[in-house]
Amino acid sequence: MTDVFHPTTEAEAADVIRVHAEAGRALALFGGNSRSGFGNTVRAEARLSAAGLSGIIAYNPAEMVITARAGTPVAEIEAALAANGQMMSFEPMDHRPLMGTEGEPTIGGVFAANVSGPRRFVAGAARDSLLGVRFVNGRGEIVRNGGRVMKNVTGLDLVKLLAGSHGTLGFLTEVTFRVLPVAKATETIVISGLNDAEAAHAMAAAMALSVEVSGAAHLPQSVKGRFAGGALPEGEATVLRLEGLPSSVAVRAEKLSAAMAPFGAVSRLDMPASLSLWREIRDVLPYADGTKRPVWRVSVAPSAGHQLVAALRLEAGIDAFYDWQGGLVWMRMEADPEAALVRRYITALGGGHATLMRASEKIRAVTPAFEPQPAPVALLSARVKEKFDPQGIFNPGKMG
């Protein structure tokens, strides 16, 4: 039976890691387990949870900065922020519906996986809001950003390295990050009846306007009915979000509606409907179907997203919708993930990366979940990994 450790202090976590490092025993690191199954298969003799390291340490709404232990539930963070009219600008996705998991998302897990939602293309990723970290390295040493600097990594930005490392470089114990005020008003402009290429053109035109679009997505007919309880207007839906003060949003919505009218029929969603719709887009609602059908998260140039899907549809069974002005493509495959095909077309269309978010255990065992790195980058990554985790005990195999 695999040992599971639940430390309640940073020192306890360091002791566990130190013992395992000395013995060369691998550890699977996790928070609330809400992203269980994501990434490549980890083979470890024991598991180490951050869930016991919980609680908000410091929060000054006037400074718009919060510090919390890594195992603090995201719901607790969101409640504290909401009470002060603030939010995480990168609106992290809740992976549970898509992954079919039941764990409690933690703030450490959000940053470890660099989880970002629809506002990412204008507000930045989770790592862009992260100001500081505390973590335990693979030697069992406690490291804090701006304090102790690890041997041979002087000059590296530890914050940026830890964010998105999926627990392969260190065991996060504390995070400090920026927050922003919640918008007083939110409205969504809907353009109906555009095909994928037309929608890409319309979204590009909208982004070129001085109306500050904070969300731009295209929902083809195959998925549109699964959003907003099926209440979106007839035809494909291209949706553009505006946020801010009520008077500002009203003026900008009129300007954007007029600019989009030549593309197709325009309608508008009020604030409650908008908030609900963008949560559904954030959490990839159409593919939260209780199956293990492969789901890809593909990042490409906004102009290339629809071209990628069109090319793949000639050779594979695929359903897709678009976020980030078309630069983020969520794709569900009907059977085989077609990894080689997907990545070959991404390269042909100018580059990007594809991450296999969901698949059966059998498929995950033979399909690289993350985009393979070019040899020079892989060599650099290996050197960084060696400095942080010399015995290679953290989540071995998860990222490659």
Side-chain angles (χ1 to χ4, degrees), residues 69-260:
R69 295 183 179 89
T72 308
V74 171
E76 182 178 332
I77 300 287
E78 290 178 330
L81 296 178
N84 291 279
Q86 295 180 341
M87 66 176 182
M88 291 180 277
S89 62
F90 51 91
E91 53 186 332
M93 172 184 178
D94 183 349
H95 284 84
R96 289 175 293 182
L98 178 68
M99 304 297 291
T101 54
E102 297 179 351
E104 186 68 35
T106 62
I107 195 63
V110 165
F111 287 108
N114 194 31
V115 182
S116 311
R119 206 179 285 109
R120 158 72 176 84
F121 76 125
V122 291
R127 65 161 54 92
D128 297 307
S129 292
L130 191 59
L131 300 174
V133 294
R134 288 178 66 98
F135 65 97
V136 183
N137 68 16
R139 298 182 181 89
E141 300 167 332
I142 296 170
V143 183
R144 65 184 177 89
N145 183 58
R148 175 190 172 114
V149 178
M150 295 171 58
K151 183 179 179 182
N152 293 333
V153 294
T154 303
L156 292 178
D157 188 338
L158 303 188
V159 169
K160 296 297 188 287
L161 283 172
L162 268 290
S165 65
H166 295 273
T168 60
L169 297 181
F171 180 71
L172 275 175
T173 58
E174 182 181 302
V175 294
T176 299
F177 57 99
R178 292 190 305 265
V179 297
L180 288 178
V182 173
K184 300 289 187 183
T186 302
E187 190 167 331
T188 300
I189 305 302
V190 183
I191 309 104
S192 300
L194 306 186
N195 63 35
D196 292 4
E198 292 167 340
H201 183 47
M203 288 189 289
M207 295 306 300
L209 299 172
S210 58
V211 295
E212 300 178 18
V213 172
S214 68
H218 177 60
L219 317 176
Q221 192 66 36
S222 60
V223 300
K224 190 265 294 182
R226 293 172 235 170
F227 287 102
L232 291 172
E234 188 67 28
E236 300 88 342
T238 306
V239 292
L240 305 168
R241 178 173 62 184
L242 300 173
E243 298 175 298
L245 295 173
S247 57
S248 171
V249 169
V251 171
R252 287 150 53 207
E254 289 294 337
K255 181 177 179 180
L256 183 57
S257 296
M260 292 297 102

Side-chain angles (χ1 to χ4, degrees), residues 299-317:
S299 181
V300 292
S303 60
H306 70 279
Q307 297 178 57
L308 172 67
V309 172
L312 288 171
R313 280 180 170 150
L314 297 176
E315 302 187 49

